[in-house]
Amino acid sequence: MFAEFKDNLHSAIKWSEKYAKTDMVYVTEGGLWLTVAKGVGMVVSLLLATAVANLVSPEVFGTYRFVISGAAIISAFSLAGIGVAITQAVARGYEGALRRGVREYLKWSFGVIGVSLAVAAYYFLNDNYVLGISFVIVAACHPLLTGFSFSAQFTSGKKDFKTHAVFDMARNAVPAVILIATLFVTDNPVLIVLAYFLSSVAIALLLYYATLWKFKPNDMTDPQTISYSQHLSVLGMLGKIAEHIDKVLIFHYLGAAQLAVYAFALTPINQLKLLNDIPAKLAVPKLTQRPLGELRRSLPGKILMLIGIMTCLAGTYIVFAPTVFRFLFPQYLNAVLFSQIAALSLIFLPGSMFGEALTAHMRKKELYVSQTILPLSKIGLYFLLLPPFGVWGAIVATVVSQGLQLTVQGIQFWRASR
């Protein structure tokens, strides 16, 4: 009976392909596991945010967020693009890209270490020992955390979404549980930062070696992988800075408490944005294997469908946001309206698929154009709007820059596919 049900379900999924214009069997099998992983990740992140909201002061949380955002910006001075290049190479059978990619990243991580220590020295000289020690921890741990996390890109390139999902759940849950336990015993920002990085590095190492043991990747490498990753790293440098500069500016201009309000306003939005990762992760291996001319006919319609879904999701969140905050973050009710307006950025999120298509096909010229215009515009909006308008300026800049991403990457994709 179960076999009959399975056959009927498979037939129904195959029937839906003529309307969705997509390999729905692939989407269903992979999407189910990715959805479970993202669901677990969202629950874990919200539990962590709830613990933070109730166990530490806004000033402590704001300091922690500043260090994490600073570490993310500093990571721009590394071979950060190697992750995407690994996915693209593994999807074409070059499994040796994982080991080589990790070695190359660690070799080129001197930029992260040097900048982190320079920032630490600055804070030590200004008698801020909390931030000084925190950035020493960043220098010691961040290269290891990023380098050994590339196992996620390997499983994505292999299209083994079950393993990817299970590993992703562990990658999210273990540091969160340790961080929550830490919050129960201390509110010292340095110890909180140390707990986050040590637990994250430990699980990254464990999952990296588990990936090598499970898949036993071949030694085949593509000579273009490293050079392409260098291009992607240069392309992504401004993007990394633009993604996190808002937190640094708010910390600088408004202080740690206001950064905590802004961070909590974006916490539910960032969790909902993870849902966009599901079609993106499913799409990358397929985008690599299909010509741009074919994608020009099929991709815009799929993105439009995803925009419709994200619009419904944003509207639903705007309605229920006050309830969410009263239940989970009662100390941050002043962040509700900020969060509702920030939800509008979800509508434009599927436009990132245009960028994924350009990346999958190594369209360097178009990528350089979009990855220069978009981050500079975003950084400019933050510098223009945040000092005079505070948190409101940052929220408006976030929404406008997301709309610009859809527009610019869409234009570049259209030109490339012609």
Side-chain angles (χ1 to χ4, degrees):
M1 186 174 178
F2 177 75
E4 183 181 352
F5 170 77
K6 186 176 179 181
D7 290 339
N8 290 335
L9 180 61
H10 185 272
S11 299
I13 293 171
K14 290 292 290 184
W15 172 81
S16 69
E17 291 180 355
K18 65 181 180 180
Y19 299 103
K21 308 297 182 185
T22 299
D23 183 352
M24 292 303 294
V25 175
Y26 171 78
V27 169
T28 303
E29 291 176 351
L32 177 63
W33 282 107
L34 292 178
T35 301
V36 170
K38 292 302 177 187
V40 171
M42 290 171 67
V43 170
V44 168
S45 296
L46 288 175
L47 287 174
L48 176 58
T50 304
V52 168
N54 290 279
L55 295 175
V56 299
S57 67
E59 289 76 13
V60 170
F61 176 64
T63 301
Y64 165 77
R65 282 305 315 168
F66 172 71
V67 173
I68 300 302
S69 298
I73 290 177
I74 291 170
S75 70
F77 302 95
S78 67
L79 200 64
I82 192 68
V84 176
I86 288 172
T87 300
Q88 198 256 14
V90 171
R92 294 182 291 115
Y94 296 104
E95 298 176 1
L98 175 59
R99 283 194 180 92
R100 188 181 178 195
V102 172
R103 287 197 303 268
E104 290 292 327
Y105 181 84
L106 294 176
K107 185 172 73 176
W108 286 89
S109 62
F110 59 84
V112 173
I113 297 172
V115 175
S116 299
L117 291 177
V119 173
Y122 168 81
Y123 284 113
F124 279 128
L125 290 173
N126 285 275
D127 297 325
N128 190 331
Y129 295 100
V130 168
L131 292 179
I133 297 171
S134 295
F135 279 99
V136 170
I137 295 170
V138 170
C141 297
H142 202 279
L144 297 174
L145 170 58
T146 304
F148 288 104
S149 294
F150 291 139
S151 57
Q153 279 72 28
F154 179 89
T155 52
S156 182
K158 289 288 290 182
K159 293 184 279 191
D160 186 343
F161 295 112
K162 178 180 178 179
T163 301
H164 183 90
V166 172
F167 284 9
D168 202 39
M169 286 186 275
R171 191 176 288 109
N172 287 322
V174 172
V177 169
I178 292 174
L179 204 52
I180 291 172
T182 303
L183 296 176
F184 274 103
V185 298
T186 183
D187 61 354
N188 186 320
V190 173
L191 295 179
I192 295 171
V193 168
L194 183 63
Y196 167 77
F197 277 108
L198 288 182
S199 59
S200 298
V201 168
I203 193 64
L205 279 166
L206 179 63
L207 294 179
Y208 172 75
Y209 286 108
T211 300
L212 296 181
W213 176 81
K214 177 179 174 60
F215 291 97
K216 298 176 177 56
N218 61 48
D219 295 326
M220 292 176 59
T221 57
D222 183 354
Q224 295 187 65
T225 298
I226 300 303
S227 62
Y228 185 48
S229 70
Q230 291 169 345
H231 281 287
L232 291 175
S233 299
V234 173
L235 285 168
M237 186 175 293
L238 283 173
K240 276 280 187 185
I241 296 171
E243 186 179 354
H244 298 280
I245 193 68
D246 51 341
K247 290 89 170 175
V248 173
L249 291 176
I250 289 176
F251 186 87
H252 175 73
Y253 285 111
L254 307 177
Q258 283 298 296
L259 175 55
V261 172
Y262 178 71
F264 271 99
L266 292 185
T267 292
I269 308 304
N270 290 334
Q271 295 309 308
L272 292 173
K273 283 183 176 181
L274 293 177
L275 297 176
N276 189 66
D277 288 351
I278 297 172
K281 279 189 169 64
L282 289 169
V284 170
K286 291 285 187 179
L287 293 174
T288 301
Q289 298 164 357
R290 296 192 176 173
L292 276 175
E294 181 182 333
L295 293 176
R296 183 171 181 256
R297 294 187 296 271
S298 61
L299 191 58
K302 294 171 184 176
I303 289 176
L304 190 61
M305 180 177 67
L306 289 172
I307 287 174
I309 294 172
M310 297 305 284
T311 300
C312 295
L313 185 63
T316 303
Y317 173 75
I318 288 171
V319 172
F320 289 100
T323 304
V324 170
F325 272 79
R326 278 196 297 271
F327 181 68
L328 296 178
F329 317 128
Q331 293 88 342
Y332 291 92
L333 292 178
N334 54 340
V336 172
L337 188 56
F338 295 135
S339 190
Q340 288 172 309
I341 300 303
L344 297 176
S345 64
L346 295 171
I347 297 171
F348 309 108
L349 201 60
S352 63
M353 296 284 284
F354 288 127
E356 298 285 1
L358 294 173
T359 301
H361 285 270
M362 301 185 181
R363 300 294 300 208
K364 297 173 186 174
K365 177 183 176 182
E366 289 80 7
L367 287 170
Y368 270 110
V369 171
S370 62
Q371 299 286 17
T372 301
I373 292 174
L374 291 173
L376 286 177
S377 300
K378 191 173 186 178
I379 293 169
L381 284 169
Y382 283 130
F383 273 101
L384 181 67
L385 297 176
L386 199 152
F389 300 109
V391 175
W392 273 119
I395 294 292
V396 171
T398 298
V399 176
V400 172
S401 60
Q402 196 68 63
L404 282 174
Q405 181 183 33
L406 170 63
T407 305
V408 172
Q409 290 189 335
I411 292 172
Q412 292 303 309
F413 170 80
W414 197 255
R415 287 177 175 173
S417 62
R418 290 177 63 187

